[in-house]
Amino acid sequence: MNPLLAQFLVEAREQIGATTDGLLGLERAPGNTDLLNGVFRSVHTLKGSSGLFEFPALTSVLHAGEDLLVALREHRLVLDPAMLDQVLAALDLVSGWLDHIDNTGLLPDDAAGRGTPVIAALRAWLGGSGLGGPVPAAPVETAAKGAGSALPSWLREVPEAVLLDTVERAAATGTPLLAVSYRPETQCFFKGDDPFALIRQLPDGLYLDVEEPAAWSPLAETDPFSCIVGFRALSAAPRDEVRHLLRYVDSQSEVVEFEAAQLVRFAGSPVGDPLARELGGALVAHHERGDRASLAEAAATLLDTFDGTADAAVLRWIARLAPNPTVANPVIGSLVTAFATGTCPAVPEPAGPADAGGASEAEGDLPSPVVRLLHEQMEMLHSVRNDAWIGGCIGSAAKLAAKALRYAGRRADAERIADTGEKAFAAKDAALLVRAIEEILGKKPAKASDAARPKAATPGTSLAAVPALHDPAHERASTVLRVDQSRIDALMNLIGELVVAKNGLPFLARRAENVYGSREMAREIKEQHAVIDRIALELRNSIMQVRMLPVSTVFQRFPRLVRDLSRKLGKHVELVIEGEDTQADKTVIENLFEPILHLVRNSLDHGIETDRDAMGKPEAATLTLSASQDNDQVVIRVADDGRGIDPTAMRRKAVEKGLLDEEAAGRLTDEEAVNLIFAAGFSTAAEVTDVSGRGVGMDAVRTTIEKAGGRVDVSSRIGAGTTVSLHLPLSMAVTRVMTLSVSGSQFGIPMDEIAETVRIPRSDVVAIKDKEAFLLRDRIIPLVHLDRALSLPPKEEAEEIAVLVVHVDKQPIGLAIEAFGEGMEVIVKPLEGPLTDLPDYLGTALLGDGRVLLVLNLKEVLE
Amino acid sequence: MSEGNVTPIRPAPAKRLLVIDDAALVRAYYRQALEPGGFLVDEAFNGIEGLEKALISPYDLVVVDVNMPKMDGLTFVHRLRETKEIACLPVLMTSTLDRDRDIAAARAAGVNLYLVKPVSEDDLRLFAGIMTGAVGE
C-alpha cells in the first residue's frame, strides 16, 4: 500500500476516535467550546487529508459533517441528540469505508450511493428550514463587520507612558505599527506549541502584555496543561514578517495594522477647561513658527494648570513629542489644534477607526480584508514567473486593488492604482504596480524598522528584555514511532521460536554427557544456556512492553455503544470508566471487546431497571467499566447498580431446565447459584429476563475468556447490582506449561491451572460410588485418571501414584498421571484445519528437541 | 487596460460569479452563501467547462476549487490568464490544501486571492463583495 495512504488510515482512525469521544463529551457539556473546536479540527483535518486521495464520497461526507460543525461553532445550530445520531452514523459510515480502503485501497463501489443520504441528512440541519437554520447575513452587515476591525479595543488598556514611547519610536521610522493579539488554543501545548516562546520572537516588538482570562478559576481547579492566557503585543516590523512568524497560529492570532498617530490618546475627563482655549493660542503660535522647543516648554508649563483632565493628557503628548524632530509636523499640529479648540477625543472607540486628531484620509486605517487583498495582489505579482500570463495577472490585480480601495472609501487611491495598473499592463511591468500598492499601504520599500527596536525596558513588558530564543522544541520531531502491528507480531514469533530453540540446549547438554561422554562439554552448554536464557527473557519482556496496549483502546468504544444502547432502551445510564491506563498484551486486549460488549449489553438490557424511581434509586443508572492489574493478571470489571441476580430464581430455573435436581440446587450457595448463569445452555434471553434479567450468552463470554487463558467471576446482590469480573493473563504469547506423561505420551498443562504435585500411595485412594478420591490435608479431592479421561490405553499402576492437583472452576481435582515432566515456556499455537474442533486441546507447542507437545484444555477433558 | 473592454462592468447592481467546483455540494454551498447577497451565481464542474462559460458570459469573479477532474484549478487559471479575452478576470481560489507551497503555487498561477476551505459564508460574501465591486462602487 502507498505509505501515504497507510499513514492516512492510521491517522483517520485516530481522528474518528477523537471525534466520537468529543461528540459524546459535547452531548454532556454542550457549551464546551474546546470540545467543539477539537471535534471540528479532527473532522477538518480528516477531510483535508482525505482530499489528498481520490475518495470523493469520503471527503464529501466529512465535508458535510464539517459544515454542520461550523454551524455549531458559529452558534447557528444547537447540538441535539438526533443530530448527534446522524453525525455518529456518518462517522460509522466513514469508519467502514476506511476498513474497506485498508483492505482494497479503494472505496466500496456503493460509497457514493450510501454517502448521499448521509450527507443529505447532515445538510438538512443546515438547510435553514425550521428552528436554528442559518439566517443569511445581509451584505451590509458583512461589510460593516469587515470594516470594523480598526483598532483593537485592548489598546485602550495600554498605559499612556507605553503609548508615548511607542509613538515616539514609530515616528522615527514612519512605518505603520502592528497590533498583534494571539490567543493560543487551550490545547495548544499538546500540539507542541510554545506560545510564549513564539510571541517572544515577534520582530521589532514594542510592547508585550499577557491577556488574562476574564476570571481566574481556583488554583485547584486550574488545568496546568491548558493555555488560558493570551498575548497582546505591538510591533514595528513589516506585516509580512509578523504574519510569517504566526503562520502556524494564523487562526488564533489577529494582526491589525495602524498608523502610530492613531495611538495618540487622551486620558481624563473629556471636556477641557474653557481657559485652555485662550491659553492654547500661545501653543498654536509656537507651532506655527515651527519652534518645537518652546512648544514643548509651554506645554510642560501648562500641565500644572490642567492636571487630571483630558487637556492635561494632550499637553503631555505635546511635551513629549514636540522636542522629537522625527515626529511629523501634522501630528504635533493636530495635538495643538485639539488642545486649542477643546476637541480632545476621549478614548478611541473600539468599533470605528479612530480619527487621530485630524490625520488625513490617506493615513487612515484600511479595513483588514482590504489590506489582505492588497497584500495578496503584491504576493501574486511577485510570484508570477510566466510571461504568457503576467498581463492577465497585472490586469486582474490592478482591478481588484482599485475595487478594494473603493470599498475602503479611498477613491483617489483607487484611481491612482487603476492608472498605474494600465501602465503596468501595457509595459508588462508588475513591479510598477507593486510599488504603487506598497505606497498606498504606507510601506517604504527599504526596511528602516531596525531603528525602531526598543533599547530599554518600558513600563509594559519590553520585548527587548526577553531575548528571542530559538526554541528547538518547534523542530523536534516526535519520538513516537508508528510500526505496523504485523512487524511486531513477526518479532514476537521469532522471539517465541528463540525461547523454544533455547529450550533445546538442556537436551543438547544431556546428549553431550550421555551420548558423547563429555561432562565438561555438558557443563559449558548449560552455562551458555543460562546466559541465552537470561537474554531471551529480557528480549521477550522488552517486546512484550512494545505489545502492551492500554485497556482504553477497548474501553473507548464503549461510551458510544452505551449511549446508543441506552437511548434505544430508553434508559438513562451514566458510564464510568476507571483504570483505562492499565496495560495488557495486544492479543489479550483484542480478545476483550466481545466479552465486555456482551456484559455491557446484559447490564443495560436486563440488569438496569426501567422503574428505578419506584425502587428509590437515582434515575440515572451507573455502569462501571474498570480495569486493574493484579500480579500477572489484568482484571476487568463490568458493574451495574441494577436489580442484581436472584439466587433463588436461578436455582429454580436450573431445576426447571433439568440442569440440576432439586436437592443439588438446594445445596448450592448463593454465590454458586448466581454463577449458574455461566452454565452452558442455561437459558436464552427471553426466558431469563423474567427470572433474573441475566444470562444472554454468558457461557459464550466464559468460553472466550477461558480460551484466552482467563476466568470469569460474577457477584451480585439483589437490588443493588451485579459485578462481572474478567481475569486475564497480561500476555498470552508465551505460556508456561508443565509437561507430563500419560500412557507413554507427553502432554502439557498450563502452569496457571496447576496447584501442586503430590505422590500418594495407592492405598490412600478411596472409592466413592463409582468415583475415586483421596485425602489431601484433610480435604477430599476427587481423583481422575487422565489416561481414562483421554481414552488412552491404561497402564499398569504403580504402588505410588503421581497426582497433579489442578484447579478447574476453582475446584481442586487430582489427576493421576504416569510421571511429571518439567516446566517450560512454550508458544501454544491453536489447532488448525480439521483439528480445530478437538475441544480437549488448547493447541500445540514445539519442543526444543523438535517434538510436538499437545497442550490440554483441562476443563474440556474433565467434562 | 480599461475595464470597459476587458470585462464590461454591468450596469445592473447584480454581480456575476462563476463557481467552478467538481463537488455539487460545494457549488450549492456557494450558491446558498452568495445568492442571498444579490450575486448571480453560475456553476461549472471542472476547468474546461469553466473556461467555456467564462468565454461566453462576462463574469465579475471566478471562484475556483483546486482539485477537479479533467482540468484542475491551477491549470484553469493558467489558461484563463493566457486567454486574451478573459485574462484579467479576478480569481478567488478555495481549497482545503493549506500548505505554504499550495498557496505559493496558486499565487504563481495568477490567483488573486486564496482562501483555505472551509470558507465561512461571511468571508465568502465579504470577499466576493469587495472583489466584484458590489460593495463600495
Side-chain angles (χ1 to χ4, degrees):
Chain A
M1 188 186 289
N2 167 3
L4 198 62
L5 181 58
Q7 181 78 18
F8 165 71
L9 289 171
V10 171
E11 285 174 8
R13 292 204 176 99
E14 282 173 8
Q15 264 139 7
I16 289 198
T19 308
T20 309
D21 291 351
L23 286 169
L24 297 180
L26 268 179
E27 191 178 32
R28 262 174 276 132
N32 190 326
T33 41
D34 288 341
L35 274 178
L36 183 56
N37 288 339
V39 167
F40 169 76
R41 258 196 316 281
S42 294
V43 174
H44 174 62
T45 314
L46 187 52
K47 189 201 72 173
S49 43
S50 77
L52 295 170
F53 309 95
E54 277 299 305
F55 303 135
L58 181 70
T59 312
S60 306
V61 170
L62 292 167
H63 192 108
E66 186 188 32
D67 284 347
L68 193 59
L69 291 167
V70 169
L72 288 172
R73 240 158 63 124
E74 292 170 354
H75 306 293
R76 283 185 284 134
L77 290 176
V78 176
L79 185 72
D80 75 24
M83 187 194 298
L84 187 57
D85 283 342
Q86 275 163 355
V87 177
L88 291 173
L91 287 176
D92 287 345
L93 184 67
V94 169
S95 237
W97 287 348
L98 290 175
D99 291 342
H100 198 273
I101 292 170
D102 203 354
N103 294 330
T104 65
L106 298 167
L107 276 179
D109 293 338
D110 63 348
R114 291 189 55 194
T116 312
V118 173
I119 292 167
L122 295 176
R123 291 270 178 226
W125 296 98
L126 289 165
S129 58
L131 330 131
V135 182
V140 183
E141 273 177 31
T142 313
K145 190 178 156 197
S149 52
L151 273 188
S153 57
W154 58 262
L155 278 176
R156 302 159 71 183
E157 292 161 30
V158 178
E160 190 184 68
V162 176
L163 293 181
L164 276 165
D165 279 354
T166 309
V167 171
E168 199 176 357
R169 281 206 196 90
T173 61
T175 48
L177 293 170
L178 297 175
V180 179
S181 63
Y182 169 32
R183 299 203 65 159
E185 296 169 358
T186 335
Q187 298 299 306
C188 65
F189 300 136
F190 296 100
K191 297 169 145 189
D193 286 356
D194 186 345
F196 187 48
L198 183 69
I199 198 73
R200 273 164 50 174
Q201 295 179 48
L202 189 70
D204 290 334
L206 298 167
Y207 168 77
L208 175 62
D209 194 15
V210 172
E211 178 188 358
E212 298 180 20
W216 289 97
S217 49
L219 191 58
E221 290 163 28
T222 305
D223 176 5
F225 297 108
S226 61
C227 183
I228 51 174
V229 298
F231 299 99
R232 297 156 166 178
L234 290 174
S235 163
R239 191 184 174 88
D240 284 355
E241 274 181 38
V242 171
R243 277 177 58 173
H244 183 74
L245 175 74
L246 300 173
R247 64 195 180 282
Y248 296 121
V249 293
D250 195 35
S251 59
Q252 303 160 40
S253 55
E254 193 188 10
V255 180
V256 176
E257 195 171 57
F258 60 97
E259 295 296 326
Q262 282 181 259
L263 279 185
V264 176
R265 200 188 65 181
F266 311 109
S269 56
V271 182
D273 195 311
L275 181 64
R277 311 294 83 77
E278 288 165 36
L279 296 169
L283 295 183
V284 174
H286 287 307
H287 175 62
E288 281 172 353
R289 278 201 312 275
D291 187 351
R292 293 273 191 98
S294 308
L295 178 61
E297 213 173 295
T301 316
L302 287 174
L303 255 179
D304 294 337
T305 320
F306 295 100
D307 199 24
T309 65
D311 294 309
V314 187
L315 292 170
R316 271 197 301 277
W317 282 91
I318 295 173
R320 176 69 178 267
L321 298 181
N324 188 337
T326 56
V327 175
N329 258 329
V331 175
I332 305 292
S334 62
L335 288 171
V336 171
T337 315
F339 181 74
T341 58
T343 52
C344 309
V347 178
E349 283 305 313
D355 183 18
S360 78
E361 184 211 49
E363 284 162 5
D365 197 28
L366 284 170
S368 66
V370 170
V371 172
R372 173 158 179 205
L373 267 173
L374 294 178
H375 272 282
E376 290 282 348
Q377 301 321 304
M378 293 199 297
E379 292 274 358
M380 187 257 274
L381 293 171
H382 275 309
S383 356
V384 173
R385 297 272 175 273
N386 193 316
D387 285 345
W389 57 65
I390 188 75
C393 293
I394 295 173
S396 62
K399 199 186 317 188
L400 278 189
K403 282 181 174 156
L405 287 167
R406 272 185 218 122
Y407 167 79
R410 302 269 203 90
R411 285 174 191 280
D413 284 335
E415 293 315 313
R416 214 164 86 217
I417 286 290
D419 286 351
T420 314
E422 273 186 52
K423 279 178 210 142
F425 181 75
K428 292 209 189 301
D429 182 0
L432 191 63
L433 182 57
V434 170
R435 276 197 300 276
I437 299 177
E438 270 175 353
E439 270 171 38
I440 284 171
L441 285 168
K443 198 166 161 184
K444 301 277 185 292
K447 199 176 150 233
S449 53
D450 282 351
R453 222 168 257 287
K455 288 174 223 71
T458 56
T461 315
S462 166
L463 288 177
V466 279
L469 295 172
H470 188 64
D471 188 353
H474 285 286
E475 270 89 30
R476 195 174 55 221
S478 165
T479 50
V480 176
L481 197 63
R482 286 190 201 281
V483 181
D484 196 307
Q485 274 189 4
S486 63
R487 294 195 194 179
I488 304 282
D489 289 352
L491 205 51
M492 195 68 201
N493 279 337
L494 282 175
I495 289 167
E497 302 292 342
L498 178 65
V499 169
V500 171
K502 172 208 76 180
N503 289 347
L505 287 175
F507 180 74
L508 190 62
R510 273 201 300 281
R511 269 172 67 83
E513 189 171 345
N514 301 340
V515 181
Y516 303 104
S518 171
R519 181 179 286 263
E520 182 72 359
M521 185 60 134
R523 192 180 55 77
E524 281 181 24
I525 293 174
K526 276 181 190 156
E527 275 171 15
Q528 199 59 29
H529 174 239
V531 174
I532 296 176
D533 197 33
R534 181 174 52 77
I535 297 173
L537 189 72
E538 280 175 19
L539 193 59
R540 199 197 80 190
N541 286 343
S542 314
I543 204 71
M544 295 238 271
Q545 282 304 313
V546 175
R547 286 170 52 97
M548 287 295 204
L549 289 177
V551 175
S552 59
T553 53
V554 178
F555 278 9
Q556 70 192 10
R557 299 169 70 175
F558 283 94
R560 166 76 195 282
L561 274 161
V562 169
R563 175 193 174 272
D564 286 0
L565 281 173
S566 54
R567 256 175 74 78
K568 209 176 279 174
L569 294 165
K571 294 177 182 176
H572 189 169
V573 179
E574 276 300 336
L575 178 68
V576 178
I577 288 182
E578 290 166 355
E580 60 206 299
D581 292 335
T582 311
Q583 297 205 322
D585 191 84
K586 178 179 133 303
T587 38
V588 175
I589 296 285
E590 281 167 354
N591 275 310
L592 277 176
F593 178 69
E594 288 290 321
I596 299 180
L597 177 62
H598 251 99
L599 298 174
V600 165
R601 277 203 189 128
N602 273 342
S603 277
L604 292 177
D605 201 358
H606 310 297
I608 289 165
E609 315 88 333
T610 38
D611 51 347
R612 293 177 62 88
D613 261 347
M615 324 270 303
K617 288 185 176 182
E619 202 238 320
T622 307
L623 181 68
T624 310
L625 272 185
S626 69
S628 57
Q629 192 177 336
D630 182 6
N631 288 324
D632 56 350
Q633 286 196 318
V634 52
V635 183
I636 311 284
R637 285 195 181 82
V638 180
D640 64 47
D641 62 350
R643 57 168 70 95
I645 303 173
D646 182 357
T648 321
M650 293 300 289
R651 288 192 192 93
R652 194 181 67 232
K653 201 72 192 172
V655 175
E656 277 171 28
K657 282 265 160 191
L659 291 172
L660 292 170
D661 56 40
E662 206 71 68
E663 196 197 341
R667 274 203 310 272
L668 292 176
T669 64
D670 280 1
E671 199 196 342
E672 286 166 335
V674 165
N675 273 281
L676 277 173
I677 55 165
F678 292 117
F682 177 75
S683 59
T684 61
E687 287 162 317
V688 164
T689 304
D690 53 287
V691 177
S692 62
R694 285 269 162 182
V696 185
M698 288 300 255
D699 57 332
V701 171
R702 190 185 60 162
T703 313
T704 315
I705 295 299
E706 283 175 357
K707 242 185 203 152
R711 66 185 163 83
V712 188
D713 284 336
V714 62
S715 66
S716 178
R717 271 177 51 212
I718 302 178
T722 307
T723 301
V724 181
S725 318
L726 312 177
H727 301 254
L728 284 145
L730 283 178
S731 162
M732 288 169 54
V734 176
T735 315
R736 272 193 76 76
V737 298
M738 182 169 186
T739 60
L740 51 92
S741 52
V742 182
S743 301
S745 305
Q746 205 169 17
F747 294 98
I749 289 179
M751 205 67 105
D752 302 347
E753 299 179 354
I754 298 171
E756 59 184 305
T757 56
V758 289
R759 288 178 186 278
I760 54 166
R762 245 193 100 59
S763 51
D764 281 8
V765 177
V766 289
I768 302 171
K769 292 189 184 164
D770 58 339
K771 303 269 169 59
E772 288 182 324
F774 66 100
L775 206 61
L776 182 66
R777 291 190 291 275
D778 298 334
R779 195 163 170 195
I780 295 174
I781 296 176
L783 185 68
V784 173
H785 291 268
L786 197 55
D787 47 5
R788 286 176 220 161
L790 291 170
S791 317
L792 291 168
K795 274 213 158 181
E796 196 184 320
E797 282 186 347
E799 265 314 295
E800 200 177 47
I801 313 176
V803 176
L804 206 53
V805 181
V806 296
H807 276 282
V808 175
D809 285 340
K810 290 189 188 168
Q811 297 296 319
I813 293 178
L815 292 179
I817 58 171
E818 190 176 272
F820 304 118
E822 55 195 323
M824 61 173 69
E825 285 176 339
V826 294
I827 301 179
V828 179
K829 302 215 160 126
L831 295 174
E832 285 169 355
L835 301 177
T836 329
D837 294 338
L838 289 178
D840 284 357
Y841 305 101
L842 285 174
T844 59
L846 197 65
L847 295 183
D849 56 8
R851 282 180 301 149
V852 171
L853 181 75
L854 281 166
V855 181
L856 296 174
N857 182 349
L858 278 184
K859 186 168 243 164
E860 291 293 333
V861 171
L862 297 174
E863 288 261 312
Chain B
M1 188 204 74
S2 114
E3 290 189 332
N5 60 25
V6 181
T7 35
I9 290 177
R10 295 175 60 81
K15 297 291 177 178
R16 298 195 57 167
L17 277 96
L18 177 62
V19 172
I20 312 176
D21 200 308
D22 55 325
L25 278 162
V26 176
R27 299 198 301 270
Y29 173 70
Y30 289 156
R31 189 179 277 282
Q32 178 193 308
L34 294 168
E35 282 188 339
F39 296 98
L40 293 176
V41 180
D42 273 355
E43 297 179 15
F45 54 80
N46 65 29
I48 295 174
E49 206 207 351
L51 277 179
E52 285 166 0
K53 290 208 165 168
L55 278 165
I56 296 167
S57 327
Y59 290 105
D60 297 293
L61 178 67
V62 176
V63 182
V64 63
D65 184 30
V66 177
N67 282 327
M68 286 181 296
K70 295 219 174 106
M71 186 192 281
D72 67 28
L74 291 179
T75 317
F76 165 81
V77 181
H78 293 162
R79 295 283 159 77
L80 181 86
R81 294 280 180 245
E82 281 168 9
T83 311
K84 199 167 156 273
E85 295 79 5
I86 48 176
C88 297
L89 193 49
V91 174
L92 166 61
M93 182 170 271
T94 63
S95 170
T96 49
L97 304 180
D98 56 357
R99 293 163 304 178
D100 286 350
R101 66 182 154 102
D102 301 317
I103 298 169
R107 279 181 183 143
V111 167
N112 296 97
L113 180 65
Y114 188 99
L115 296 177
V116 176
K117 281 183 187 172
V119 184
S120 74
E121 295 194 9
D122 283 350
D123 275 358
L124 202 58
R125 276 192 292 265
L126 173 64
F127 283 110
I130 301 175
M131 293 174 84
T132 56
V135 198
E137 276 189 348

